[in-house]
Amino acid sequence: MGTINIGFLHSLVRKEEKLLLAEFGKHPDVSVVMLDDRELVFDLCTVPPLDAIIERSINHSRALHALRLFDSLGIPCVNSYRVAQICGDKILTAVALRDHGIPQPDLRIAFTEDSALKAIEEIGYPAVLKPVVGSWGRLLSKVNDRDAAETILEHKTVLGSYHHSIFFIQKYIRKQGRDIRAFVVGDECIGAIYRHSDHWITNTARGATAANCPVHPELADLCVRTAVAVGGGVLAIDLFETGEGLLVNEVNYTMEFRNSIDTTGVNIPARVADYVIARARAGSRA
Amino acid sequence: MIHECPVCGAELELGSGLIKGELLECDECGSELEVVSDDPLTLAEAPEAEEDWGQ
């Protein structure tokens, strides 16, 4: 078998990227080509000699467009442009989940202050306002009453850029101090963590602590079906536990896993590297 | 390898194997630093997080 050339699309190199590079380095038949998104120039024609690309950019907008460009040149990407497009936009994610019958929190989408206020009142307090594009729990608002709703909607409209006036409103789920982040590689849920926090936002980037979450059949099945719904690949899925079962909250396509390797006992970067190498060998798109 | 923190001037003892783009933290001032060149090793303050960063 010949050498496999893997393009490693990145910007800043975080702990996750170092771990992935170390795993690729264990394969003597794999050559990694670093692709810093701050230095790339595309001409729509030149096809780089790569068998696959792993996308690890920190910027969603750069990742999205770079993936579209590489995808247009016929290079398999993990994840694909389509997956990045869906997962990077909470509205597109919600539609994909709905289309595949995946349970999710009740939600509304509105485009003006007045209609958003009506939507919040309809869904009931507390409600959660989220930016359609965003992560790390930034700019999330838990709206406890009408006064807060009016204030936040006005601030978003006046002070935010135009995309902050696309209002994504979600029913607040009381999660008893924890939610679940599960990791899917291909057609397998390889591990999961509970994210514990006294704060209603349970991102580890915001100080939540991680503990192992056993992957029971209901969780595994829902996560794999969720991955299929958004196009498959390497994904981190955030879920809420409720009395009526699990709800999928968000799906992340450039997953961060530094706090989850020791916690789950799963060598997540090794599983990801193996998947990317297999995709490169298969030479086909997901 | 001893290098100077470009933010506070503290001496940083760095291991080998650093690569361009890698993030480090200064133990002294807590600044996030980026390896902007690995030959010669050059550090700069890491860029501020942007709105579409991270997952």
Side-chain angles (χ1 to χ4, degrees), chain A residues 97-169:
Chain A
L97 297 179
R98 189 272 321 269
D99 286 350
H100 287 76
I102 306 294
Q104 60 185 317
D106 194 14
L107 63 92
R108 302 285 186 279
I109 293 133
F111 303 127
T112 67
E113 276 183 70
D114 286 347
S115 59
L117 186 58
K118 279 183 193 159
I120 291 171
E121 298 257 301
E122 192 177 301
I123 216 163
Y125 297 104
V128 177
L129 263 169
K130 293 181 170 183
V132 172
V133 176
S135 59
W136 288 346
R138 288 167 303 182
L139 297 175
L140 303 187
S141 305
K142 179 165 167 260
V143 185
N144 291 331
D145 56 33
R146 187 179 175 104
D147 286 346
E150 289 175 346
T151 304
I152 292 165
L153 292 171
E154 183 185 11
H155 284 192
K156 279 182 169 290
T157 304
V158 174
L159 299 175
S161 49
Y162 74 92
H163 54 271
H164 287 290
S165 292
I166 307 294
F167 299 105
F168 185 89
I169 301 148

Side-chain angles (χ1 to χ4, degrees), chain A residues 12-14 18 21 36 38-39 58-61 135-136 138 163-164 181 252-254 256, chain B residues 16-24 32 34-36 46-47 49-55:
Chain A
L12 295 169
V13 176
R14 300 162 289 176
K18 285 284 279 191
L21 288 167
D36 190 330
R38 296 169 292 184
E39 297 172 359
I58 200 167
N59 297 71
H60 165 63
S61 50
S135 59
W136 288 346
R138 288 167 303 182
H163 54 271
H164 287 290
R181 171 162 284 199
N252 303 281
Y253 72 93
T254 313
E256 294 165 11
Chain B
S16 57
L18 294 171
I19 63 172
K20 186 171 168 292
E22 188 166 346
L23 286 174
L24 308 168
E32 202 163 39
E34 179 188 353
V35 177
V36 292
E50 295 170 26
E51 195 173 328
D52 70 339
W53 276 26
Q55 297 186 23

